[in-house]
Amino acid sequence: MRVLVTRTLPGKALDRLRERGLEVEVHRGFFLPKEELLKRVEGAVGLIPTVEDRIDAEVMDRAKGLKVIACYSVGVDHVDLEAARLRSIRVTNTPDVLTEATADLTLALLLAVARRVVEGAAYARDGLWKAWHPELLLGLDLQGLTLGLVGMGRIGQAVAKRALAFGMRVVYHARTPKPLPYPFLPLEELLETADIVSLHTPLTPETHRLMDRRRLLSMKPGTILLNTARGGLVDTEALVEALRGHLFGAGLDVTDPEPLPPDHPLYRLRNAVITPHIGSAGRTTRERMAEVAVENLLAVLEGREPPNPVAYAPWAFSSASSAGSSAASWA
Ligand code: DGY
């Protein structure tokens, strides 16, 4: 029985598959073009894809005996869940293990934007640093600011905890209010109130371009937008406009399109800090994600219930944009 793993994974988790007698084929390149994926998936009973691989009906039909798609991600909108359901293929993901790492990166982006860290580092490296000055590179003091979290699942809550340690006030919006010690606000009110807005919702047709031009401009002038969830939540063109005056800045770990082409206008804006979708990229986190994906895959192949099954969702896969996206209903 053969398992296809679409990228090399950190750690030793894949050894477990070999110990169980499975043949493990790992794609070693940085990219896996669709044509090659289609060829390599033939005959596989298990597939471990990353957020870069769009797993649609065509891929599933090539792998006639495919039983499980064990995503190496918490987000699953790169998988056509309806097509999987129709073919009785189980889909699993890797929640929990990446919560803290993603929350850490959200705070890293917040600090980088608010205190102009990337700009300051470039200023020093480029030889512009000639003297200390009271008005050099003034940024935002986090203490006392209001952080508005849009989506309050595990990652949103982990970001909230960190924000409290920085002396920030936390408000949130989610589909439904939760029993949490932070005020719930309707989305429009949150956007008008918060000094920082951080997105933590999955990408679904309902949340696609949630931050459109109108909503971006309804954020208070001089605020910060953070996105460590999915690029498709934000209208990128409108964001570029909003960053040219309305917003203080943006910290983006995900973009639409993803990756951004090197000549994209976002890269030319001093107040945009962009990282290449590295929210979960702590070594230990990425090793744990591999262990979780392997456990899910083995469980299905051995006839056990996997620890992290993904509920088949009724929405249309093709309407979600950009590489990678998140699971199920938005928290
Ligand atoms: C996920 O897990 O969905 C991230 O985007 C990649 O770790």
Side-chain angles (χ1 to χ4, degrees):
M1 290 208 293
R2 197 165 63 85
V3 171
L4 175 64
V5 185
T6 66
R7 300 292 183 286
T8 53
L9 304 181
K12 303 210 173 311
L14 296 180
D15 290 349
R16 251 189 98 196
L17 298 178
R18 298 186 184 99
E19 283 157 17
R20 305 284 169 112
L22 290 161
E23 184 194 330
V24 182
E25 180 178 336
V26 180
H27 172 66
R28 303 208 173 266
F30 222 82
F31 305 100
L32 179 55
K34 176 82 178 279
E35 277 316 306
E36 201 177 332
L37 171 62
L38 287 173
K39 270 191 226 142
R40 295 178 80 159
V41 81
E42 271 176 36
V45 292
L47 175 62
I48 301 186
T50 72
V51 291
E52 282 278 325
D53 310 301
R54 272 179 86 75
I55 309 301
D56 56 16
E58 196 184 0
V59 174
M60 296 177 204
D61 285 340
R62 280 292 187 100
K64 289 283 178 233
L66 191 63
K67 291 193 169 44
V68 52
I69 300 168
C71 296
Y72 182 74
S73 59
V74 65
V76 293
D77 62 317
H78 54 302
V79 178
D80 186 338
L81 296 178
E82 183 57 10
R85 184 185 70 82
L86 291 172
R87 290 158 182 78
S88 304
I89 299 170
R90 295 300 300 269
V91 180
T92 64
N93 67 346
T94 60
D96 300 316
V97 287
L98 46 67
T99 299
E100 306 301 331
T102 308
D104 286 349
L105 192 86
T106 308
L107 264 291
L109 286 173
L110 172 55
L111 288 164
V113 177
R115 298 301 307 276
R116 302 172 66 178
V117 174
V118 176
E119 228 184 306
Y123 183 89
R125 197 186 35 238
D126 294 348
L128 301 172
W129 182 20
K130 305 288 185 211
W132 188 90
H133 191 283
E135 288 185 318
L136 179 64
L137 287 164
L138 296 183
L140 298 184
D141 296 294
L142 295 186
Q143 170 90 26
L145 294 189
T146 298
L147 171 67
L149 295 162
V150 179
M152 203 49 164
R154 303 176 192 88
I155 297 174
Q157 291 179 43
V159 172
K161 274 197 220 147
R162 285 157 175 77
L164 295 185
F166 280 87
M168 300 172 74
R169 176 174 171 257
V170 173
V171 297
Y172 77 99
H173 176 76
R175 271 220 303 212
T176 47
K178 294 170 180 255
L180 290 169
Y182 316 108
F184 169 91
L185 295 182
L187 181 56
E188 310 304 332
E189 196 180 327
L190 178 144
L191 296 178
E192 286 161 17
T193 313
D195 301 294
I196 296 135
V197 172
S198 192
L199 306 179
H200 300 285
T201 75
L203 176 66
T204 66
E206 195 191 348
T207 62
H208 184 238
R209 304 256 162 100
L210 182 76
M211 294 305 290
D212 57 12
R213 177 170 279 100
R214 183 182 62 78
R215 289 212 173 100
L216 285 167
L217 295 179
S218 73
M219 287 170 67
K220 278 198 311 189
T223 56
I224 292 177
L225 178 73
L226 302 172
N227 189 4
T228 52
R230 285 300 182 260
L233 298 174
V234 179
D235 177 340
T236 305
E237 221 176 280
L239 177 62
V240 170
E241 255 176 69
L243 284 169
R244 290 189 174 128
H246 184 66
L247 299 181
F248 182 84
L252 310 171
D253 185 48
V254 288
T255 57
D256 182 16
E258 189 171 310
L260 278 183
D263 59 349
H264 196 279
L266 268 179
Y267 285 129
R268 291 199 294 275
L269 295 171
R270 275 186 302 112
N271 53 352
V273 174
I274 298 154
T275 49
H277 202 149
I278 53 170
S280 63
R283 176 165 293 282
T284 308
T285 296
R286 288 281 169 89
E287 289 183 3
R288 287 205 184 124
M289 286 168 67
E291 285 157 17
V292 172
V294 161
E295 174 51 28
N296 279 316
L297 184 131
L298 280 176
V300 175
L301 294 186
E302 291 171 357
R304 292 179 281 122
E305 183 56 19
N308 310 105
V310 169
Y312 295 119
W315 65 72
F317 162 72
S318 54
S319 62
S321 77
S322 86
S325 247
S326 293
S329 66
W330 67 297

